[in-house]
Structure formats: C-alpha cells, structure tokens
Amino acid sequence: MPQPAHQLDREAARLFAQLATGEMSSTDFVSLERRLLNDPEFRQAYVEQVELDAEIENQLCTPQVATATVHPTPYFLPATLALAASLLLLAAMLALVLLRDSPVASAPLRLEYVEAQLRGLKPVAIVTQVSEDFPLDDKSIQIGDRVKPGSLRINGGELQLEFLSGVAIRLSGPTEIHLLAQDSATLVHGHAAAIVPPNVSNFTLNGPISAIASGASEFVYSTMSSNQAQIDVYEGEVMTSLLGESGDTLWNEMARSEQSARFQGKSIELVDATFADTDRIRVLPIDDVQLSSSDQYAAAIQADNPLVYWRFDPEQQQGDLIRNTISQRYAGLIHSDDDSVRIEQGSLQFKPSERSRYFKLTEPIPGLNSGEFSIEMWVRPNRMRWGTILGLLPSTQTDEKRELHLTVLEFANQTNLVHRPATMRFLYRYPSTTFDGGMNIFSADSCTPGLWHHVVAVKSKTGISFYLNGKRRQVLDVLEFEDEGAYTAVLGQLDTIRAERQFDGNVDEVAIYSHALSDKDVERHYQIMTGPSPR
C-alpha cells in the first residue's frame, strides 16, 4: 500500500536533514540512494524538499558559492556551508536519477584528461587499462600514454593507472582524480582501488580524509562529497588523517586489514569488516593470456639459427628443466624453492620473493663475446618495478657476494641513471671486470605494464643496437675483441647470489644467437607476431 503523502514528506525532510548535517551513516546513505532510484513517489517528495530548502537557503544566505577544497575542515565550516555542499551533492545525484528514468538515451561514456599547464612537469603515471566502452575518438588518453600532473575524469566505465612509484590505481566511474606526483593524488569524488607494492615507502591518496599507505597494502577509497568518505583496507595498513585548515593533521587512525575507516564530517570511525572477493575492485594486468606465438614465428626464429631457443611449452618442460628446441645443449633450469618462478600459460613467470630465485643456462656458452651476438625475447612486465630480465655473466666469478656482468637487459624504472620512466635498458660492459660503467641504451618508448613487448639486443663489430617493438636505438663503437671466455645466462634477477632487482612479469620465446640480427630480421620477426612495427 502506498504511503500517505504527508508521511513521505516527513521522511524526505528527516533524511535530507541527516545528510545536510553530516549525521547520515554510509549504510543509510546507500539505502537513500537505492530508494531514490526505485521509489518514484518518494523521489518526488525528496525533490520537493530539496527545492524548498534551496529556496530557504537562498533567502537567508548571501549569494556566495561554497567550493570544496582538497582538505576540508569540517570542525570550522558553518552549518550553512555544510548545507550548501549537501545541496550540490543532492542535485548531482538527482540529475542522475532523473536521467535514468528519462526516455532519452543515457549519456555515452566520456573520459577527460586535462594536463596541468605548468612548465617542467614530468610524467607521474602510465595508463594501463581503459574500458572498451569509451568511444575511440573520445579518449583523451590511450593505453600506454605517460600522463603528467593534471585532472582525470570518467563518467562511467573503468580506467587503470600505474604510478611511476609502482602503485596501481583502478578508477570506477563516475570518478574525478587529480594526479599530483608519482607518489600522491587527490580523489575529488568516486571510487579508487589501490595496490601498493612492498618497495614503496609512502603513497598518499587525499580526499575528505588523507590516506597514506606504507609498504605492501591494498585498499579502496570511496567518496561522493567533501564530508563523507570510506576507506576499506583489504591488506596491509593505511594511516587515515583528518586535516585542518593549515593542512596539518587534526586526527588520525590506523586502518588495518579487514577494517574500514569511515568519515562523516566530524571524525574518523574504525569498524571491523569482512570483505568478500566479489566486493573487491580488482587491479589486474591488461593482458592476462599467453603470448599468441605461432608455428610461423617459431619457424622464422629457427631459420635464423639461434644457439638457444626456449619456448616454455609443455613438451619442452621436464620438471624444472626447459629443453632447448634447437639442440640437446643449452637447456635452462628453474632455481626457486617458493614457486616464485614457474611456467604459466606457456611462458616463464617471475614473481617477487624474499629469496634468491632465477632461471639459468645449464652450461655456459664459450666464446660468445668473441664476435657478434643477439638476444631476442618477448617480455611482459606486471608492475612498474626496476627488474633485471636477463644478464650474460662470465662463467668464472671471484666475488662471493656479487657477480660480474657482460650484458644486462632490464625493465628500468626509478633507477640510479637518467632516463625516461618505465623503459627497457641494454647495458654492455667489456671487459667485464668491474661493477661500474658500461655502454647503455634505453628504449625509445616506455613499456606498459601488462602488455607484451618485443625486445632485441644486438652486439656487433660496430656497436650495440636495441629494439623495442621494432623501434631501434644504437650506440656506435668498435667492438672487436679476442674474448674466448664462456658466458652463462641468468633470467629474473641481477645475478645468482643477490636477490636484487627481481623482475616481476613474464618472458617468452627467448633466443640467443651467435651472430647479429639485422634490422630486416627484427622487423620480420615482429611483423609475423603483430604486424608492421610503428616506426
């Protein structure tokens, strides 16, 4: 039976007052939202209440407009400003409700990125995922774009960013976020899920309250107004802080795993919570399938006569041993006692570990550096993390604490060298008798976490060349040596001793040649897999 009109009016007035004064709980707010969406009669009474209070407010207050700041100070806001903020929120919410019931088609998804107009700004994040629902001609940013400080808005769908600090953020629209630096951002409204890796000391996500995560943690930040927010902590610890006018902390609470921090305009309340897997906003790689290599690609590699060719298919695997598809020699062996290196969906997968773990040739290659050589592979980094993908090391080492290198291929991000963020690095160092210096090439483009990349490193008599997805960079020099030493290959970390610079991601189709691949060879291999390279 429908409720009497006067009862609906009283309920609408009561709920509006709770929201305007900041006394409404997050649970009640969700219930209010659902009722506005599903009860037309109540929605009409609520709209009338909004219009009535707006008119009263217009008569009693000056015509100044209150704007939300990055750090609200609820202890000092007059009641009229709190009401104004509530009215703005309700107007936006009611607009969405009325649009849903309108016969006019719903607005298409939109994505807007506006870069801060300041000189000298550097990229702070890379776009790793954009919903396919966004029109192609409406995407102001694309997957793989490096974004600088600025504002980012989506009215629906999902978008994922990987900050250069290694923090992954997934936005669910409608959401607006302001990107500030590689370790900080401000959530204006909406929902943001964050995964902070262990090596990040601090990551700050501001909003009505400030959230600072240190070390490994996973949390979801939700806010729809300047005086309401909720932070759900799934793993780790997040320090939540209420900030004052000066930007200093007035009140703080540490939210730990399976806890929620709720802010209702006056204080932060911690409550225990149990989060189902279905409730979590996942931050996932874009491309979670195996590399689509073909028999044609394998035939092209084999036709160029590599010494080593690892495909990581089930027929090449014998326990931890991966057979070379070219000959009975030069197999590879997994060295890991915690399952952080394994074959997964036809590729070699590396996960971070506190222990040393790697993949290594079963026997060294003699005289590899006496002439020309090439290294070719497909690489998919999972996270924005400095990691060694492959190194060529002298088979004879004298230091018990670290090992020397001839060549290093790395996913370079936040290293001790000057370069673009999230690039690939090719280091060649001869004679390999020192731990310092060497010839470096960094890839022309950045690498997008979650996507497969074609990587080729070539040492020839005239210098070194490095290809990323078909694009070449090179350093010219005379590199003719009488070096009959033997070299081994180590994949997944810096060397076999130190559990440092551990690569987090997958590699596949690894080939080592005793000659230099030409530009045409690299282009042919790349085209077979993907089509023409974007030169």
Side-chain angles (χ1 to χ4, degrees), residues 63-102:
Q64 295 179 345
V65 178
T67 58
T69 59
V70 172
H71 302 301
T73 54
Y75 288 122
F76 308 106
L77 281 177
T80 54
L81 291 183
L83 180 57
S86 299
L87 286 168
L88 289 173
L89 170 64
L90 288 168
M93 184 173 64
L94 287 170
L96 293 174
V97 172
L98 296 175
L99 279 174
R100 191 194 75 160
D101 288 346
S102 172

CSV table of all heavy atoms in Angstrom, one decimal, residues 63-102:
chain,number,residue,atom,x,y,z
A,63,PRO,N,24.8,35.5,-1.6
A,63,PRO,CA,24.9,34.7,-2.8
A,63,PRO,C,26.3,34.1,-3.1
A,63,PRO,O,26.6,33.8,-4.2
A,63,PRO,CB,24.6,35.7,-3.9
A,63,PRO,CG,25.0,37.0,-3.4
A,63,PRO,CD,24.7,36.9,-1.9
A,64,GLN,N,27.1,33.9,-2.1
A,64,GLN,CA,28.4,33.3,-2.3
A,64,GLN,C,28.3,31.8,-2.6
A,64,GLN,O,27.5,31.2,-2.0
A,64,GLN,CB,29.3,33.5,-1.1
A,64,GLN,CG,29.6,35.0,-0.8
A,64,GLN,CD,30.5,35.2,0.4
A,64,GLN,OE1,30.6,34.3,1.2
A,64,GLN,NE2,31.1,36.4,0.5
A,65,VAL,N,29.2,31.3,-3.4
A,65,VAL,CA,29.2,29.9,-3.7
A,65,VAL,C,30.3,29.2,-2.9
A,65,VAL,O,31.4,29.6,-3.0
A,65,VAL,CB,29.4,29.6,-5.2
A,65,VAL,CG1,29.4,28.2,-5.5
A,65,VAL,CG2,28.3,30.3,-6.0
A,66,ALA,N,29.9,28.1,-2.2
A,66,ALA,CA,30.9,27.4,-1.5
A,66,ALA,C,31.5,26.3,-2.4
A,66,ALA,O,30.8,25.6,-3.0
A,66,ALA,CB,30.3,26.7,-0.3
A,67,THR,N,32.9,26.3,-2.4
A,67,THR,CA,33.6,25.2,-3.2
A,67,THR,C,34.3,24.3,-2.3
A,67,THR,O,34.9,24.8,-1.3
A,67,THR,CB,34.5,25.9,-4.2
A,67,THR,OG1,35.5,26.7,-3.5
A,67,THR,CG2,33.8,26.8,-5.2
A,68,ALA,N,34.3,23.0,-2.7
A,68,ALA,CA,35.1,22.1,-1.9
A,68,ALA,C,36.6,22.2,-2.1
A,68,ALA,O,37.0,22.4,-3.2
A,68,ALA,CB,34.6,20.6,-2.3
A,69,THR,N,37.3,22.1,-1.0
A,69,THR,CA,38.8,22.2,-1.1
A,69,THR,C,39.3,20.8,-1.0
A,69,THR,O,38.7,19.8,-0.7
A,69,THR,CB,39.3,23.0,0.1
A,69,THR,OG1,38.9,22.4,1.3
A,69,THR,CG2,38.8,24.4,0.1
A,70,VAL,N,40.6,20.7,-1.3
A,70,VAL,CA,41.3,19.4,-1.2
A,70,VAL,C,41.3,18.8,0.2
A,70,VAL,O,41.1,17.6,0.4
A,70,VAL,CB,42.7,19.5,-1.7
A,70,VAL,CG1,43.5,18.2,-1.5
A,70,VAL,CG2,42.7,19.9,-3.2
A,71,HIS,N,41.5,19.7,1.2
A,71,HIS,CA,41.5,19.2,2.6
A,71,HIS,C,40.4,19.9,3.3
A,71,HIS,O,40.6,21.0,3.8
A,71,HIS,CB,42.8,19.5,3.2
A,71,HIS,CG,44.0,18.9,2.5
A,71,HIS,ND1,44.1,17.5,2.3
A,71,HIS,CD2,45.1,19.4,1.9
A,71,HIS,CE1,45.2,17.3,1.7
A,71,HIS,NE2,45.8,18.4,1.4
A,72,PRO,N,39.2,19.4,3.4
A,72,PRO,CA,38.1,20.0,4.1
A,72,PRO,C,38.4,20.1,5.6
A,72,PRO,O,39.1,19.3,6.2
A,72,PRO,CB,36.9,19.1,3.8
A,72,PRO,CG,37.5,17.8,3.6
A,72,PRO,CD,38.8,18.0,2.9
A,73,THR,N,37.8,21.1,6.2
A,73,THR,CA,38.0,21.3,7.7
A,73,THR,C,36.6,21.4,8.3
A,73,THR,O,36.1,22.4,8.6
A,73,THR,CB,38.7,22.7,7.9
A,73,THR,OG1,38.0,23.7,7.3
A,73,THR,CG2,40.1,22.6,7.3
A,74,PRO,N,36.0,20.2,8.5
A,74,PRO,CA,34.6,20.2,9.0
A,74,PRO,C,34.4,20.8,10.3
A,74,PRO,O,33.3,21.2,10.7
A,74,PRO,CB,34.3,18.7,9.0
A,74,PRO,CG,35.7,18.0,9.0
A,74,PRO,CD,36.6,18.9,8.3
A,75,TYR,N,35.5,20.9,11.2
A,75,TYR,CA,35.3,21.4,12.5
A,75,TYR,C,35.0,22.9,12.4
A,75,TYR,O,34.4,23.5,13.4
A,75,TYR,CB,36.5,21.2,13.4
A,75,TYR,CG,36.7,19.8,13.8
A,75,TYR,CD1,37.9,19.1,13.5
A,75,TYR,CD2,35.8,19.2,14.5
A,75,TYR,CE1,38.1,17.8,13.9
A,75,TYR,CE2,36.0,17.8,14.9
A,75,TYR,CZ,37.1,17.2,14.6
A,75,TYR,OH,37.3,15.9,15.0
A,76,PHE,N,35.3,23.6,11.3
A,76,PHE,CA,35.2,25.0,11.3
A,76,PHE,C,34.2,25.5,10.2
A,76,PHE,O,34.0,26.7,10.1
A,76,PHE,CB,36.6,25.6,10.9
A,76,PHE,CG,37.7,25.2,11.9
A,76,PHE,CD1,38.6,24.3,11.4
A,76,PHE,CD2,37.7,25.6,13.2
A,76,PHE,CE1,39.6,23.8,12.3
A,76,PHE,CE2,38.7,25.2,14.0
A,76,PHE,CZ,39.7,24.3,13.6
A,77,LEU,N,33.6,24.6,9.5
A,77,LEU,CA,32.6,25.0,8.5
A,77,LEU,C,31.3,25.4,9.1
A,77,LEU,O,30.7,24.7,9.9
A,77,LEU,CB,32.3,23.9,7.5
A,77,LEU,CG,33.4,23.6,6.4
A,77,LEU,CD1,32.9,22.4,5.6
A,77,LEU,CD2,33.5,24.9,5.5
A,78,PRO,N,30.7,26.6,8.8
A,78,PRO,CA,29.4,27.0,9.3
A,78,PRO,C,28.4,26.0,8.8
A,78,PRO,O,28.5,25.4,7.7
A,78,PRO,CB,29.2,28.4,8.7
A,78,PRO,CG,30.6,28.9,8.3
A,78,PRO,CD,31.4,27.6,8.0
A,79,ALA,N,27.3,25.9,9.5
A,79,ALA,CA,26.2,25.0,9.1
A,79,ALA,C,25.7,25.3,7.7
A,79,ALA,O,25.3,24.4,7.0
A,79,ALA,CB,25.1,25.0,10.1
A,80,THR,N,25.6,26.6,7.3
A,80,THR,CA,25.0,26.9,6.0
A,80,THR,C,25.9,26.4,4.9
A,80,THR,O,25.4,26.0,3.9
A,80,THR,CB,24.9,28.5,5.9
A,80,THR,OG1,26.2,29.0,6.2
A,80,THR,CG2,23.9,29.0,6.8
A,81,LEU,N,27.3,26.4,5.1
A,81,LEU,CA,28.1,25.9,4.1
A,81,LEU,C,28.0,24.4,3.9
A,81,LEU,O,28.1,23.8,2.9
A,81,LEU,CB,29.6,26.3,4.3
A,81,LEU,CG,29.9,27.8,4.2
A,81,LEU,CD1,31.4,28.0,4.4
A,81,LEU,CD2,29.5,28.3,2.8
A,82,ALA,N,27.8,23.7,5.1
A,82,ALA,CA,27.6,22.3,5.0
A,82,ALA,C,26.4,21.9,4.3
A,82,ALA,O,26.3,21.0,3.5
A,82,ALA,CB,27.6,21.7,6.5
A,83,LEU,N,25.3,22.7,4.5
A,83,LEU,CA,24.1,22.5,3.8
A,83,LEU,C,24.2,22.8,2.3
A,83,LEU,O,23.7,22.0,1.5
A,83,LEU,CB,23.0,23.4,4.4
A,83,LEU,CG,21.6,23.3,3.7
A,83,LEU,CD1,21.1,21.9,3.8
A,83,LEU,CD2,20.6,24.3,4.4
A,84,ALA,N,25.0,23.8,2.0
A,84,ALA,CA,25.2,24.1,0.5
A,84,ALA,C,25.9,23.0,-0.1
A,84,ALA,O,25.6,22.6,-1.3
A,84,ALA,CB,26.0,25.4,0.4
A,85,ALA,N,26.9,22.4,0.5
A,85,ALA,CA,27.6,21.3,0.0
A,85,ALA,C,26.7,20.1,-0.2
A,85,ALA,O,26.8,19.4,-1.2
A,85,ALA,CB,28.8,20.9,0.8
A,86,SER,N,25.8,19.9,0.8
A,86,SER,CA,24.9,18.8,0.6
A,86,SER,C,23.9,19.0,-0.5
A,86,SER,O,23.6,18.1,-1.2
A,86,SER,CB,24.1,18.6,1.9
A,86,SER,OG,25.0,18.3,3.0
A,87,LEU,N,23.5,20.2,-0.7
A,87,LEU,CA,22.6,20.5,-1.8
A,87,LEU,C,23.3,20.3,-3.2
A,87,LEU,O,22.6,19.7,-4.1
A,87,LEU,CB,22.2,22.0,-1.8
A,87,LEU,CG,21.1,22.4,-0.7
A,87,LEU,CD1,21.0,23.9,-0.5
A,87,LEU,CD2,19.8,21.7,-1.0
A,88,LEU,N,24.5,20.6,-3.3
A,88,LEU,CA,25.3,20.3,-4.5
A,88,LEU,C,25.3,18.8,-4.8
A,88,LEU,O,25.1,18.4,-5.9
A,88,LEU,CB,26.7,20.9,-4.5
A,88,LEU,CG,26.8,22.5,-4.5
A,88,LEU,CD1,28.2,22.9,-4.3
A,88,LEU,CD2,26.3,23.0,-5.8
A,89,LEU,N,25.6,18.1,-3.8
A,89,LEU,CA,25.7,16.6,-3.9
A,89,LEU,C,24.3,16.1,-4.3
A,89,LEU,O,24.2,15.2,-5.2
A,89,LEU,CB,26.1,16.0,-2.6
A,89,LEU,CG,26.0,14.5,-2.5
A,89,LEU,CD1,26.9,13.8,-3.5
A,89,LEU,CD2,26.3,14.0,-1.1
A,90,LEU,N,23.3,16.5,-3.7
A,90,LEU,CA,21.9,16.0,-4.0
A,90,LEU,C,21.5,16.4,-5.4
A,90,LEU,O,20.9,15.6,-6.1
A,90,LEU,CB,20.9,16.5,-3.0
A,90,LEU,CG,21.1,15.9,-1.6
A,90,LEU,CD1,20.2,16.7,-0.6
A,90,LEU,CD2,20.6,14.5,-1.6
A,91,ALA,N,21.9,17.6,-5.8
A,91,ALA,CA,21.5,18.0,-7.1
A,91,ALA,C,22.1,17.1,-8.2
A,91,ALA,O,21.5,16.7,-9.1
A,91,ALA,CB,21.9,19.4,-7.4
A,92,ALA,N,23.4,16.8,-8.0
A,92,ALA,CA,24.1,15.9,-8.9
A,92,ALA,C,23.5,14.5,-8.9
A,92,ALA,O,23.3,13.9,-9.9
A,92,ALA,CB,25.6,15.8,-8.6
A,93,MET,N,23.2,14.0,-7.7
A,93,MET,CA,22.6,12.6,-7.6
A,93,MET,C,21.2,12.6,-8.2
A,93,MET,O,20.9,11.6,-8.9
A,93,MET,CB,22.5,12.3,-6.1
A,93,MET,CG,22.0,10.8,-5.8
A,93,MET,SD,22.2,10.4,-4.1
A,93,MET,CE,21.0,11.5,-3.4
A,94,LEU,N,20.4,13.6,-8.0
A,94,LEU,CA,19.1,13.6,-8.5
A,94,LEU,C,19.1,13.7,-10.0
A,94,LEU,O,18.2,13.2,-10.7
A,94,LEU,CB,18.3,14.7,-7.9
A,94,LEU,CG,17.8,14.5,-6.4
A,94,LEU,CD1,17.3,15.8,-5.9
A,94,LEU,CD2,16.8,13.4,-6.4
A,95,ALA,N,20.1,14.4,-10.5
A,95,ALA,CA,20.2,14.5,-12.0
A,95,ALA,C,20.4,13.2,-12.6
A,95,ALA,O,19.9,12.8,-13.6
A,95,ALA,CB,21.4,15.5,-12.4
A,96,LEU,N,21.3,12.4,-12.0
A,96,LEU,CA,21.5,11.0,-12.4
A,96,LEU,C,20.2,10.2,-12.3
A,96,LEU,O,19.9,9.4,-13.2
A,96,LEU,CB,22.6,10.3,-11.6
A,96,LEU,CG,24.0,10.9,-11.8
A,96,LEU,CD1,25.0,10.3,-10.9
A,96,LEU,CD2,24.5,10.8,-13.3
A,97,VAL,N,19.5,10.3,-11.2
A,97,VAL,CA,18.3,9.6,-11.1
A,97,VAL,C,17.3,9.9,-12.2
A,97,VAL,O,16.7,9.0,-12.8
A,97,VAL,CB,17.7,9.8,-9.7
A,97,VAL,CG1,16.3,9.2,-9.6
A,97,VAL,CG2,18.6,9.3,-8.6
A,98,LEU,N,17.1,11.2,-12.4
A,98,LEU,CA,16.1,11.6,-13.4
A,98,LEU,C,16.5,11.2,-14.8
A,98,LEU,O,15.7,10.9,-15.6
A,98,LEU,CB,15.9,13.1,-13.3
A,98,LEU,CG,15.3,13.6,-11.9
A,98,LEU,CD1,15.2,15.1,-11.9
A,98,LEU,CD2,13.9,13.0,-11.7
A,99,LEU,N,17.8,11.2,-15.1
A,99,LEU,CA,18.3,10.8,-16.4
A,99,LEU,C,18.0,9.3,-16.6
A,99,LEU,O,17.7,8.9,-17.7
A,99,LEU,CB,19.8,11.1,-16.5
A,99,LEU,CG,20.2,12.5,-16.9
A,99,LEU,CD1,21.7,12.6,-16.8
A,99,LEU,CD2,19.7,12.9,-18.3
A,100,ARG,N,18.1,8.5,-15.5
A,100,ARG,CA,17.8,7.1,-15.7
A,100,ARG,C,16.4,6.8,-16.1
A,100,ARG,O,16.1,5.9,-16.9
A,100,ARG,CB,18.2,6.4,-14.4
A,100,ARG,CG,18.2,4.9,-14.6
A,100,ARG,CD,18.3,4.2,-13.2
A,100,ARG,NE,16.9,4.2,-12.6
A,100,ARG,CZ,16.6,3.3,-11.7
A,100,ARG,NH1,17.4,2.4,-11.2
A,100,ARG,NH2,15.3,3.3,-11.2
A,101,ASP,N,15.5,7.6,-15.5
A,101,ASP,CA,14.1,7.4,-15.8
A,101,ASP,C,13.6,8.1,-17.1
A,101,ASP,O,12.5,7.9,-17.5
A,101,ASP,CB,13.2,7.9,-14.6
A,101,ASP,CG,13.4,6.9,-13.4
A,101,ASP,OD1,13.9,5.8,-13.6
A,101,ASP,OD2,13.0,7.3,-12.3
A,102,SER,N,14.4,9.0,-17.6
A,102,SER,CA,14.1,9.7,-18.8
A,102,SER,C,14.0,8.8,-20.0
A,102,SER,O,14.9,7.9,-20.2
A,102,SER,CB,15.0,10.9,-19.0
A,102,SER,OG,14.8,11.5,-20.3
